Amino acid sequence: MEPALTEGAFDMRLTRYFLPVLKETPSEAQIASHRLMLRAGMIKQATAGIYSWLPLGFKVLRKVENIVHEEQARAGHIPIQMPVLQSADLWRESGRYDDYGEEMLRMKDRHGRDMLYTPTAEELVTDIFRAHVGSYKDLPLTLYQIQWKFRDEIRPRFGVMRGREFYMKDGYNFDLDYDSAIHAYNRHMVSYLRTYERMGLQAIPMRADSGPIGGDDTHEFLVLAETGESEVFYDSAITTLQFGEREVDFDDRDACAAIVKEWTTPYARTDETHDADLFAQVPQERQRRSRGIEVGQIFYFGTKYSEPMGATVQGPDGKAVPVHMGSHGIGVSRLLGAIIEASHDDKGIIWPEGVTPFHCGIVNLKQGDDEADAASESIYASLKALGLDPLYDDRDERAGGKFATMDLIGLPWRITVGPRGLKNGVVELTCRRTGTSEEMPPEQAVERVAQIYAPHFSSGSGVEPMANRSFHTWL
């Protein structure tokens, strides 16, 4: 994808927008995120496990993607773009072609050459590295991409949570030795903690199984949710940790290692790596057993790929040595489902401010009334002038239907404009999360919304998780 267009660049009125909301829940949707993404007109199933992303869903996908890009850049990682089709020869070289299983979609081109649709790209990026890097002086190096991938799940379900086609950030580090590669591992963990917190999520790093990627060191990042596919065991002390506004020098090995130690000292493991004896050492009142949604994973696998594929550099002593590698993934499209699972109610989605498709909804209770129309237009123009991206419901519909749509699509804040309030010089500002409303002059409502989003327009740093905010903090 290209970088997102500037917020507010388009005229966003519901009479000119494509928002095919559904009143009824499709029968195939089993979990909240799947139901709400379909009902809110975010996605439409094309075939089993494969979805079209409609404007609202695509807009949130871009928000999530941009946060990932920003935090990767902050950590010093370099974006590239690799093809979705790969030659099977590279996978045979690493020894994974026959081991990967039926989840890999394989095909032949017209010349009879074996090809595959990318499920991951360790082999391809290693081939790029070995062709262009030959000296330790060119290290360390971390390359990443955000790309559509495909795994032929035998039973795709839960919408974007376990689809066959998915949008993923996959990054790969190349380092001279073990210590340097472990710093890359730590750097990614710190970067991921920042990334998820900016999205309003608490994603807990848990010791996990490496699966077909390989390697001895790996952590999954999981969001606690009843609908999670993974059974997890953890010390509740880890849920009190916050990254907050701390500044990090990603080149400082000790600083990164200290943060990793802080987040990995409390017990937190998936069921594959659960150790009952170690867990028993956690005070009983802090022992937790739950379920979690995986939203990312980091790996260190040493020379697993570099040795068989000949990815070496000339070391300081002039001798060729295989580089130490790791790979690091974030499920960009899956994150939308995870955010909704963690943040919704019976009325619909509740977006955290960092990823909301629109910053504020404007509901005109009496479309066609000159005063209400003028006030709504003024609020809309004022928010856009401040660089915000409002969605104006200018439809000639009943008020109940407008409120239901706003609740369903989950915009964090709503300004309601009506003739009765305007006679008293006020509009109503409502927080979607708490349902709390307050009347105030229109210009004050605009100012409040601008204040709320000010942290998100700074440098992308210091964003407080939505769960820690309250309506009264801002009012």
Side-chain angles (χ1 to χ4, degrees):
M1 285 185 181
E2 296 297 325
L5 294 169
T6 304
E7 293 294 353
F10 298 111
D11 192 6
M12 292 301 183
R13 304 162 190 264
L14 268 182
T15 54
R16 303 178 186 176
Y17 197 59
F18 180 54
L19 186 67
V21 297
L22 304 177
K23 293 183 179 180
E24 302 297 328
T25 300
S27 59
E28 71 271 18
Q30 301 175 34
I31 62 173
S33 59
H34 192 190
R35 291 194 297 269
L36 292 172
M37 290 183 78
L38 290 170
R39 286 199 56 217
M42 294 179 65
I43 57 173
K44 182 184 184 302
Q45 181 170 304
T47 187
I50 299 176
Y51 293 87
S52 296
W53 289 78
L54 306 184
L56 191 74
F58 185 59
K59 194 170 175 64
V60 182
L61 188 69
R62 295 294 286 269
K63 290 283 187 82
V64 171
E65 178 189 6
N66 284 339
I67 291 175
V68 174
H69 275 305
E70 289 166 7
E71 293 303 326
Q72 288 298 296
R74 188 191 302 275
H77 305 158
I78 303 169
I80 62 173
Q81 193 72 68
M82 293 180 278
V84 295
L85 292 181
Q86 298 184 29
S87 167
D89 292 342
L90 286 173
W91 285 65
R92 292 191 178 103
E93 204 174 331
S94 71
R96 281 207 304 173
Y97 186 69
D98 294 322
D99 295 341
Y100 205 87
E102 294 185 355
E103 285 187 353
M104 182 191 291
L105 182 63
R106 305 158 199 253
M107 65 203 79
K108 290 183 182 291
D109 66 13
R110 64 170 62 189
H111 302 289
R113 292 175 295 217
D114 290 325
M115 307 291 289
L116 58 96
Y117 195 116
T118 303
T120 183
E122 283 80 7
E123 286 81 1
L124 192 56
V125 77
T126 303
D127 184 52
I128 293 170
F129 176 87
R130 69 183 178 182
H132 299 288
V133 180
S135 171
Y136 75 96
K137 296 179 181 179
D138 297 321
L139 302 180
L141 178 65
T142 296
L143 304 174
Y144 81 94
Q145 65 174 350
I146 300 180
Q147 180 198 61
W148 289 103
K149 293 181 172 56
F150 188 90
R151 290 177 188 160
D152 201 2
E153 295 278 355
I154 189 170
R155 285 186 297 274
R157 58 193 186 281
F158 303 155
V160 300
M161 297 285 287
R162 196 172 180 84
R164 293 194 294 164
E165 184 182 55
F166 53 96
Y167 202 45
M168 179 179 172
K169 173 262 167 183
D170 49 314
Y172 308 89
N173 68 280
F174 302 88
D175 289 276
L176 181 62
D177 52 34
Y178 173 82
D179 289 342
S180 299
I182 290 301
H183 172 58
Y185 187 93
N186 293 342
R187 189 174 67 240
H188 277 85
M189 182 175 291
V190 173
S191 175
Y192 280 23
L193 291 171
R194 286 186 56 93
T195 299
Y196 296 126
E197 197 160 299
R198 283 187 61 188
M199 297 176 188
L201 282 175
Q202 182 177 56
I204 301 173
M206 297 192 179
R207 178 68 65 179
D209 180 66
S210 62
I213 301 294
D216 297 326
D217 292 291
T218 182
H219 281 84
E220 286 183 5
F221 291 79
L222 291 109
V223 175
L224 299 176
E226 293 180 0
T227 52
E229 294 180 304
S230 301
E231 186 175 23
V232 297
F233 302 81
Y234 63 98
D235 180 343
S236 64
I238 200 169
T239 62
T240 66
L241 297 178
Q242 290 184 352
F243 198 90
E245 298 185 13
R246 68 182 87 181
E247 291 295 329
V248 180
D249 179 356
F250 283 97
D251 292 326
D252 187 331
R253 294 190 179 193
D254 291 339
C256 289
I259 295 172
V260 170
K261 182 178 180 180
E262 177 186 358
W263 285 81
T264 58
T265 296
Y267 187 94
R269 297 194 176 202
T270 61
D271 54 350
E272 297 95 340
T273 60
H274 176 54
D275 186 319
D277 293 334
L278 282 177
F279 190 54
Q281 297 175 24
V282 177
Q284 190 170 7
E285 68 273 12
R286 300 207 314 254
Q287 293 179 12
R288 298 289 187 273
R289 179 178 179 177
S290 185
R291 303 198 71 79
I293 300 167
E294 181 197 342
V295 291
Q297 190 165 4
I298 58 177
F299 301 85
Y300 163 70
F301 41 68
T303 59
K304 173 181 171 65
Y305 298 92
S306 57
E307 282 192 346
M309 297 187 68
T312 63
V313 295
Q314 187 178 58
D317 59 1
K319 296 181 180 179
V321 293
V323 291
H324 287 247
M325 295 175 57
S327 67
H328 318 276
I330 290 180
V332 176
S333 54
R334 171 180 272 237
L335 270 166
L336 276 72
I339 291 168
I340 294 171
E341 289 294 329
S343 187
H344 70 275
D345 60 17
D346 292 341
K347 297 178 180 179
I349 302 165
I350 306 174
W351 291 115
E353 280 107 332
V355 296
T356 180
F358 297 96
H359 298 117
C360 180
I362 302 169
V363 172
N364 185 343
L365 294 181
K366 194 171 183 181
Q367 198 71 36
D369 178 88
D370 291 343
E371 190 175 5
D373 289 353
S376 297
E377 290 286 353
S378 177
I379 291 169
Y380 179 73
S382 297
L383 289 169
K384 287 176 68 68
L386 291 170
L388 295 168
D389 193 14
L391 178 65
Y392 176 22
D393 189 345
D394 60 339
R395 299 173 300 165
D396 186 15
E397 298 282 348
R398 59 183 180 83
K402 291 188 173 188
F403 289 143
T405 296
M406 285 293 175
D407 285 341
L408 175 61
I409 66 175
L411 307 187
W413 299 90
R414 185 186 77 224
I415 297 174
T416 304
V417 181
R420 184 179 302 176
L422 290 174
K423 287 180 181 179
N424 298 317
V426 297
V427 295
E428 187 177 77
L429 179 63
T430 302
C431 174
R432 173 69 180 88
R433 184 170 297 276
T434 65
T436 310
S437 298
E438 183 175 330
E439 291 185 339
M440 61 189 70
E443 62 274 13
Q444 186 179 348
V446 170
E447 183 181 353
R448 293 286 176 83
V449 173
Q451 290 173 354
I452 289 165
Y453 285 101
H456 302 268
F457 284 90
S458 57
S459 59
S461 62
V463 178
E464 183 182 3
M466 179 65 185
N468 295 334
R469 301 184 181 191
S470 71
F471 183 66
H472 302 289
T473 301
W474 301 109
L475 294 182

